[in-house]
Amino acid sequence: DADVTQTPRNRITKTGKRIMLECSQTKGHDRMYWYRQDPGLGLRLIYYSFDVKDINKGEISDGYSVSRQAQAKFSLSLESAIPNQTALYFCATSASYGAAFFGQGTRLTVV
Amino acid sequence: AQKVTQAQTEISVVEKEDVTLDCVYETRDTTYYLFWYKQPPSGELVFLIRRNSFDEQNEISGRYSWNFQKSTSSFNFTITASQVVDSAVYFCALTPSGGYNKLIFGAGTRLAVHP
């Protein structure tokens, strides 16, 4: 089993719908992140969390919200999806100044 | 400002050629970490290396080597005797100091290795 698991792996949704992407990890790391990948732009940080009581906005948080349900679970929500949120989404975890380990990614298409 | 620049958008080589992927970073922090990740066609992100700002020694791992030069703010990645399996998008990333390990990514370099 993967250390960082994202569900779903692929999702097509309609404009205006609410959608949740889920992430769980078995690495025991306290830090968790959500990134978005767009062609030619690399990955950009949406939200990050140090622990269950610590949630922080990243570079591109508008239109997104997150919930840290437990140390091992970090979900990303799009309250009202729009087409320009079509992207590849990655969840990641890390220990202090260690490498970040990424999930397999969720390919989201908003039509 | 914190920034990572990978000026090479795409590189195409023939198998067994050596290839260097460039990475230039900007940060005012004295303590920071640099990373390289590989994204093969399957889409996952694979960690390759981490380097802290106080360690300028070059590193070699098999066919991979990294050259970190603080004087030019560069952290370049060389693949020796490239293979088709090296075809991927490679990302350079920076984590400034502050405790959260937030990664600032470059736009990536797509490497195509042809037989």
Side-chain angles (χ1 to χ4, degrees):
Chain A
D1 288 342
D3 294 323
V4 183
T5 302
Q6 292 182 230
T7 55
R9 294 292 309 280
N10 290 282
R11 181 72 181 267
I12 300 174
T13 192
K14 293 184 177 180
T15 297
K17 293 291 188 181
R18 184 179 187 275
I19 181 170
M20 179 182 290
L21 310 184
E22 298 184 331
C23 176
S24 62
Q25 53 118 344
T26 58
K27 296 194 74 68
H29 292 161
D30 50 10
R31 295 163 175 81
M32 295 189 74
Y33 312 81
W34 276 102
Y35 289 90
R36 166 178 170 161
Q37 182 179 4
D38 297 280
L41 295 178
L43 282 79
R44 294 178 292 166
L45 183 62
I46 307 172
Y47 270 95
Y48 59 103
S49 169
F50 188 87
D51 61 31
V52 294
K53 297 180 181 179
D54 178 78
I55 302 290
N56 302 277
K57 293 182 178 181
E59 179 187 352
I60 53 165
S61 60
D62 287 349
Y64 302 94
S65 62
V66 291
S67 174
R68 185 82 182 265
Q69 300 95 327
Q71 188 202 28
K73 295 183 182 296
F74 192 37
S75 59
L76 175 72
S77 294
L78 287 69
E79 297 301 325
S80 180
I82 56 177
N84 76 0
Q85 290 177 313
T86 293
L88 184 56
Y89 290 85
F90 284 99
C91 175
T93 74
S94 75
S96 176
Y97 287 112
F101 292 90
F102 288 80
Q104 312 97 311
T106 295
R107 188 166 297 278
L108 176 66
T109 303
V110 183
V111 298
Chain B
Q2 324 267 13
K3 186 179 178 181
V4 176
T5 301
Q6 295 180 255
Q8 303 152 309
T9 304
E10 295 189 25
I11 300 175
S12 181
V13 299
V14 176
E15 210 169 16
K16 299 184 181 178
E17 284 186 32
D18 298 347
V19 57
T20 295
L21 310 181
D22 297 333
C23 173
V24 174
Y25 62 92
E26 296 176 30
T27 181
R28 293 181 180 177
D29 292 350
T30 55
T31 302
Y32 52 89
Y33 291 79
L34 296 164
F35 300 82
W36 276 94
Y37 284 86
K38 174 182 179 180
Q39 186 177 43
S42 52
E44 74 272 22
L45 283 158
V46 179
F47 165 72
L48 296 178
I49 189 171
R50 180 187 73 157
R51 172 68 69 205
N52 75 55
S53 54
F54 297 106
D55 183 0
E56 288 195 70
Q57 287 189 349
N58 292 336
E59 178 143 347
I60 298 174
S61 177
R63 297 184 296 107
Y64 294 172
S65 62
W66 291 269
N67 182 284
F68 175 33
Q69 292 193 340
K70 290 179 73 172
S71 61
T72 57
S73 296
S74 64
F75 185 42
N76 296 335
F77 173 30
T78 297
I79 301 174
T80 302
S82 60
Q83 300 177 0
V84 172
V85 293
D86 296 326
S87 297
V89 180
Y90 291 86
F91 291 99
C92 180
L94 163 72
T95 289
S97 62
Y100 278 108
N101 266 37
K102 296 181 292 181
L103 286 165
I104 299 165
F105 282 86
T109 297
R110 181 177 299 277
L111 173 65
V113 182
H114 302 284

